[in-house]
Amino acid sequence: MRDPPDASNSVDPFLRPLLDTWALYTQQWTGSASQAPGPSSPSDDPAEAWIESTGQMVDQYLRSPSFLQLFRLHIETLIALKSSAKPPAAPANESCDIDTVIARISEVEKRLTGLEQRIKRLEGPP
């Protein structure tokens, strides 16, 4: 049987600590599972041991320098985006007076009238 291809170079460096910890965890779990005679008390339950090991693995990954650097860069990017965003525009009702609104409505009516006349010309006589 062929060995799987070496994918160590294709892994994101921020995921490397998680993958290394997971590989170590599975090796330890396989070794201890083959040597263990079976649970003798509720505290020796394999499910509890798995939960404990998984918790330790996740804790190690979340405390790794790679993850912390990635998290810091993410937060800095969010802060930069927030600070570079334009302030919200003033609501339309504060920047317009009634005369401006009436003038704009008048312009729209004229444009609609012009469009109606063009449509009638294109349709031809009834």
Side-chain angles (χ1 to χ4, degrees), residues 87-107:
N93 61 357
E94 291 180 6
S95 63
C96 296
D97 60 346
I98 191 68
D99 294 330
T100 307
V101 173
I102 291 173
R104 288 183 181 172
I105 290 173
S106 205
E107 290 173 17

Side-chain angles (χ1 to χ4, degrees), residues 27-58:
Q27 289 172 355
Q28 290 175 350
W29 180 257
T30 304
S32 64
S34 63
Q35 296 172 358
S40 59
S41 68
S43 64
D44 292 335
D45 184 24
E48 287 183 26
W50 183 83
I51 290 171
E52 180 66 27
S53 298
T54 304
Q56 289 174 358
M57 178 194 66
V58 170

Side-chain angles (χ1 to χ4, degrees), residues 9-123:
N9 293 334
S10 65
V11 176
D12 186 355
F14 292 111
L15 293 178
R16 176 54 53 199
L18 176 64
L19 295 175
D20 291 343
T21 305
W22 184 255
L24 179 64
Y25 163 76
T26 53
Q27 289 172 355
Q28 290 175 350
W29 180 257
T30 304
S32 64
S34 63
Q35 296 172 358
S40 59
S41 68
S43 64
D44 292 335
D45 184 24
E48 287 183 26
W50 183 83
I51 290 171
E52 180 66 27
S53 298
T54 304
Q56 289 174 358
M57 178 194 66
V58 170
D59 184 59
Q60 286 176 355
Y61 173 68
L62 293 178
R63 294 175 190 268
S64 71
S66 298
F67 176 79
L68 294 175
Q69 180 184 5
L70 175 66
F71 191 71
R72 181 183 58 79
L73 290 172
H74 180 71
I75 295 298
E76 287 174 354
T77 303
L78 289 175
I79 291 170
L81 286 173
K82 177 84 173 163
S83 63
S84 69
K86 294 180 182 178
N93 61 357
E94 291 180 6
S95 63
C96 296
D97 60 346
I98 191 68
D99 294 330
T100 307
V101 173
I102 291 173
R104 288 183 181 172
I105 290 173
S106 205
E107 290 173 17
V108 170
E109 285 178 345
K110 288 177 187 174
R111 292 176 66 190
L112 285 175
T113 304
L115 288 173
E116 287 175 347
Q117 291 172 356
R118 286 183 187 173
I119 291 172
K120 285 180 183 178
R121 275 186 262 143
L122 289 173
E123 290 176 347

